[in-house]
């Protein structure tokens, strides 16, 4: 997804919360990467982290749950490898809810 300063980037952050984290992000059409214009990058990242931080992590049978477990232990390791890679590349990462992490960088 590309976020331009002339667009509704606050609304986009709210939509990414759903598009990126529904079904624990295990949907083939989930949002995987977001490119925000340099002039709004920091504000957009802070807004996205705030929205994602409001997600409820828990039991998939509980209707209040937004994000639940990954489908297999191998998936947990795969996601952890992505986070480790982001940290190794000096991306900023924020743990915003139990086991929910958002990573970003100002570099393109």
């Amino acid at each position: 997804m590309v976020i331009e300063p002339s667009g509704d980037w606050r609304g986009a952050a709210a939509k990414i919360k759903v598009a990126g984290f529904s079904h624990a992000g295990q949907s083939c059409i989930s949002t995987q990467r977001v490119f925000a214009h340099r002039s709004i990058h920091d504000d957009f990242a802070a807004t996205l982290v705030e929205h994602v931080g409001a997600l409820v992590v828990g039991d998939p049978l509980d209707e209040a749950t937004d994000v639940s477990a990954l489908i297999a232990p191998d998936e947990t390791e795969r996601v952890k490898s992505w986070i480790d890679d982001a940290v190794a590349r000096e991306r900023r990462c924020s743990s915003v809810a139990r086991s929910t992490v958002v990573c970003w960088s100002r570099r393109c």
Side-chain angles (χ1 to χ4, degrees), residues 9-101:
W9 55 267
R10 288 177 184 87
K15 289 181 181 2
I16 291 168
K17 174 182 95 169
V18 175
F21 293 91
S22 293
H23 306 290
Q26 298 176 103
S27 168
C28 63
I29 60 170
S30 67
T31 301
Q32 296 291 316
R33 289 175 183 82
V34 178
F35 299 92
H37 189 272
R38 186 178 315 265
S39 68
I40 58 162
H41 178 274
D42 292 346
D43 290 336
F44 173 78
T47 301
L48 179 60
V49 167
E50 181 180 317
H51 280 290
V52 173
L55 291 169
V56 176
V57 179
D59 183 339
L61 299 177
D62 182 346
E63 290 192 24
T65 296
D66 295 311
V67 179
S68 63
L70 296 170
I71 60 173
D74 289 349
E75 292 302 305
T76 302
E77 287 305 312
R78 186 167 66 116
V79 171
K80 184 180 179 312
S81 75
W82 295 339
I83 296 167
D84 291 345
D85 181 61
V87 171
R89 293 172 185 255
E90 300 179 356
R91 295 339 189 222
R92 290 185 286 172
C93 295
S94 178
S95 179
V96 294
R98 284 182 326 177
S99 302
T100 304
V101 177

